Amino acid sequence: NIFVLTKLKLKYAPSCRYAAVRKLYDPSDSYSPLDESLILYFSSPRSFTGEDIIELHTHGSRAVVQGVLSALSSLSTTSNINIRPAERGEFTSRAYSNNKLELTQVEALADLIVADTSQQRKQALLQLDGRLSRLYESWRTILTKGLAHAEAVIDFGDDEDLMGEDENMDGAGQEDVWTSMRDDIVSLRMGMEEHLRDGKRGEITRDGVRVAIVGPPNAGKSSLLNLLARREAAIVSPIAGTTRDVVEVNMDLGGVRCTVSDTAGLRDEVRLCVCVW
């Protein structure tokens, strides 16, 4: 990576983990200036992927970006360096392969990137912090410990260490081991059940909810949709049957992503209602 910076004609390579402003030059065009950019260098393993990483913070014009990319691409042929655009999600994949991220954190990062509401953002950040990973790891530790104790009693049941204090009380030590293990497993099961009894709040926050406004013509369905959306999303008219197709609006209601649908009026005697699924 430092070699790449040298080829871009940086007089002084930046220190690791320190931002520095440097001029970039194009080695394929007689070292003509490309841009004055902010350079950040992260050495392995203290980087997002666990590998050496260089960040070039250039100006955002097409000419600058295209020039820098072309200069980097030219190094692949002139200096025999394998430089190519990263695949979608490749940085995260490398971070996972290098044990910089766990699977639940990768999922949280994907949720954070596509978060639309404040609750989605907060939930993704909590999961990215590793709290869910630590919870699952604690469950795994209890299960592994219980399995080890069960196998020890089955395989070495006659061992003195598993006998009671009174030699005449055969199996008392084994019973103590089984009782302790059973208590741990019962407590673990209760904890898992409590974790799952959250009304699927996590799924609702991540995926959002779909709401359909259903009712007879001219009941105020489109007006309600416009009120929730705070804009003229649907046509409002005193003429019955104005809304013929489903009009959908995505919105943030209390931090929850909602897709609200305005439907055509029902001709039967049905009161205005809101359906959630």
Side-chain angles (χ1 to χ4, degrees), residues 10-190:
L10 265 70
K11 292 183 178 180
Y12 304 101
S15 301
C16 180
R17 305 182 72 83
Y18 281 87
V21 177
R22 296 288 188 270
K23 286 186 177 181
L24 303 179
Y25 298 88
D26 188 353
S28 64
D29 188 19
S30 303
Y31 288 101
S32 61
L34 286 170
D35 189 28
E36 190 170 26
S37 307
L38 183 68
I39 312 297
L40 283 167
Y41 170 55
F42 299 92
S43 62
S44 172
R46 298 178 64 191
S47 69
F48 177 75
T49 64
E51 304 168 333
D52 290 339
I53 289 182
I54 290 176
E55 295 183 3
L56 305 178
H57 295 252
T58 66
H59 292 90
S61 68
R62 292 185 179 181
V64 171
V65 174
Q66 185 60 40
V68 173
L69 292 178
S70 297
L72 291 173
S73 179
S74 67
L75 295 178
S76 298
T77 55
T78 60
S79 302
N80 196 26
I81 305 175
N82 184 19
I83 299 178
R84 60 171 178 80
E87 301 290 338
R88 183 178 182 182
E90 184 172 352
F91 278 85
T92 303
S93 176
R94 292 192 178 198
Y96 175 72
S97 299
N98 295 326
N99 296 320
K100 300 295 289 186
L101 290 176
E102 297 182 355
L103 195 58
T104 54
Q105 292 176 305
V106 172
E107 182 185 44
L109 183 59
D111 291 341
L112 182 61
I113 291 173
V114 299
D116 292 325
T117 68
S118 59
Q119 289 300 324
Q120 288 177 328
R121 169 179 53 81
K122 292 177 182 178
Q123 177 174 281
L125 286 174
L126 287 175
Q127 186 171 332
L128 186 61
D129 186 46
R131 297 187 183 185
L132 196 59
S133 299
R134 290 192 292 271
L135 175 63
Y136 292 163
E137 184 61 30
S138 67
W139 290 353
R140 178 180 177 274
T141 300
I142 295 174
L143 288 173
T144 303
K145 180 180 177 181
L147 179 62
H149 285 173
E151 291 178 346
V153 172
I154 294 173
D155 294 339
F156 309 104
D158 296 333
D159 194 281
E160 291 182 358
D161 291 338
L162 296 178
M163 303 295 289
E165 295 180 358
D166 188 344
E167 294 183 358
N168 296 324
M169 297 178 60
D170 257 2
Q174 298 182 28
E175 184 63 30
D176 291 341
V177 173
W178 284 115
T179 300
S180 175
M181 182 182 63
R182 183 174 61 250
D183 292 342
D184 291 342
I185 298 301
V186 169
S187 177
L188 173 61
R189 179 177 178 179
M190 293 175 60

Side-chain angles (χ1 to χ4, degrees), residues 211-214 220-226 233-236 243-249 259-265:
V211 180
I213 305 175
V214 182
K221 301 185 298 299
S222 298
S223 299
L224 176 59
L225 177 68
N226 293 339
I235 299 175
V236 177
T243 303
R244 297 181 180 271
D245 300 319
V246 177
V247 178
E248 292 187 343
V249 177
T259 301
V260 182
S261 302
D262 179 22
T263 62

